[in-house]
Amino acid sequence: MSNVEFSFDGLGGAAQSISPAAIPTGNNNKGFFKRAVINLLLIAFLFGFVELYSYFLGKSNGLIGLTIALAIVSFYRTEIGIRPIQGALVVFGVFVLTGAATFLAALHPAIGVLVNFTSIYIILTLTSHQPLAKAYYPVLSCYLFAQSTPVYGIDYGLRMIGIAGGGLLVAIVYYLRHRKVSRKRNISDIFKETHFCSLRTKFFVRLTAGLTLAMLIGDLLHVLKPAWISFTVLSLVQPFVGESRKKILYRILGTIIGGVLFFVLF
């Protein structure tokens, strides 16, 4: 599988999850050229979308625009396991939830803990029929950026229009792409099938708790860019505990080596 990667953490995982998996990975030059062209077109689409989004809604919402662009490609590839029209409604709904919840969470840290935990868990539950596909990445990335840069008044109105409008666009793309997929499951079935002892639910709880704690720490310590604390958690917490431990170990080793090199060289 050919993967598109971004240098900044957290969203790198989102970019990985939207790489064009349908492209053959043969060693011939034709296959390589085809993958390269599609990857370049994908990057051009992302940057073009962000520029337009920022032009109409302000540069402060540029990163939110990027998450919506990532969501368009991610949900084009990944369906969430329920009837297509209901899936489209879920996609639109989680973005509207993101815009509303991040506003409420900014009112007070205690309110934020409750709102963030509940909202993130709902987003994960609704969008993670295939957890390894990581369709939740763009939505949670949007949540983290919106939560870390609260706005009010007219600015909040513009942000909410942008998030809701972007969510509607993602939902339309989702429905057009997956409308012929035959599914009998409904939204209610997602919650009926939740088992608190399952690996998937345990993963949801770990990630939700980790992100909620990270956002609380950022709020209480008045961190300049709190979203990056949360993105570290988002990139480290994996569906399988063993994978999470490996990532944490590699992160610690990388940080130590990087610190030593910085001290020696500078």
Side-chain angles (χ1 to χ4, degrees), residues 2-261:
S2 172
N3 285 332
V4 179
E5 300 233 2
F6 283 80
S7 59
F8 40 95
D9 209 0
L11 282 182
Q16 275 189 328
S17 71
I18 64 164
S19 60
I23 302 172
T25 56
N27 295 323
N28 59 80
N29 292 331
K30 184 177 180 181
F32 173 81
F33 179 76
K34 185 177 181 180
R35 294 196 303 275
V37 169
I38 292 182
N39 284 342
L40 286 173
L41 289 174
L42 174 60
I43 293 172
F45 163 73
L46 294 176
F47 278 98
F49 186 93
V50 172
E51 284 298 316
L52 285 174
Y53 194 93
S54 301
Y55 177 80
F56 288 107
L57 297 169
K59 292 292 184 182
S60 61
N61 289 315
L63 288 173
I64 292 177
L66 174 59
T67 64
I68 291 173
L70 289 170
I72 290 173
V73 186
S74 179
F75 284 106
Y76 177 85
R77 284 192 52 224
T78 308
E79 58 101 16
I80 57 179
I82 58 178
R83 297 176 187 273
I85 186 63
Q86 294 189 22
L89 290 174
V90 163
V91 170
F92 175 67
V94 294
F95 277 100
V96 172
L97 173 63
T98 293
T102 51
F103 176 81
L104 292 175
L107 297 177
H108 191 277
I111 297 175
V113 169
L114 178 61
V115 171
N116 289 331
F117 188 93
T118 303
S119 301
I120 291 172
Y121 185 82
I122 290 173
I123 290 170
L124 283 169
T125 301
L126 290 175
T127 61
S128 300
H129 172 65
Q130 304 175 58
L132 295 179
K134 297 184 177 180
Y136 59 85
Y137 252 101
V139 184
L140 288 185
S141 297
C142 182
Y143 194 103
L144 297 180
F145 280 130
Q147 186 274 339
S148 65
T149 56
V151 291
Y152 306 94
I154 295 176
D155 290 334
Y156 173 71
L158 286 174
R159 173 170 290 182
M160 193 65 207
I161 290 172
I163 292 177
L168 180 60
L169 179 59
V170 178
I172 291 172
V173 170
Y174 176 91
Y175 178 74
L176 292 177
R177 170 62 172 171
H178 304 293
R179 66 186 185 280
K180 295 182 180 179
V181 176
S182 179
R183 290 285 187 181
K184 295 182 179 180
R185 295 171 70 246
N186 297 309
I187 296 175
S188 59
D189 293 323
I190 295 176
F191 294 97
K192 289 177 183 178
E193 295 168 1
T194 298
H195 301 287
F196 292 102
C197 293
S198 69
L199 291 175
R200 183 165 58 178
T201 301
K202 289 179 180 178
F203 164 61
F204 293 166
V205 172
R206 289 201 316 274
L207 182 54
T208 299
L211 290 176
T212 301
L213 180 60
M215 287 186 281
L216 178 62
I217 291 172
D219 285 341
L220 295 179
L221 298 182
H222 303 289
V223 177
L224 183 60
K225 295 183 178 180
W228 301 115
I229 302 176
S230 301
F231 275 118
T232 300
V233 174
L234 184 59
S235 67
L236 293 178
V237 179
Q238 301 295 310
F240 300 105
V241 176
E243 283 297 312
S244 296
R245 290 172 179 169
K246 286 182 182 179
K247 279 184 169 285
I248 292 171
L249 177 60
Y250 294 153
R251 175 62 61 89
I252 293 173
L253 291 175
T255 301
I256 293 173
I257 293 172
V260 170
L261 289 175

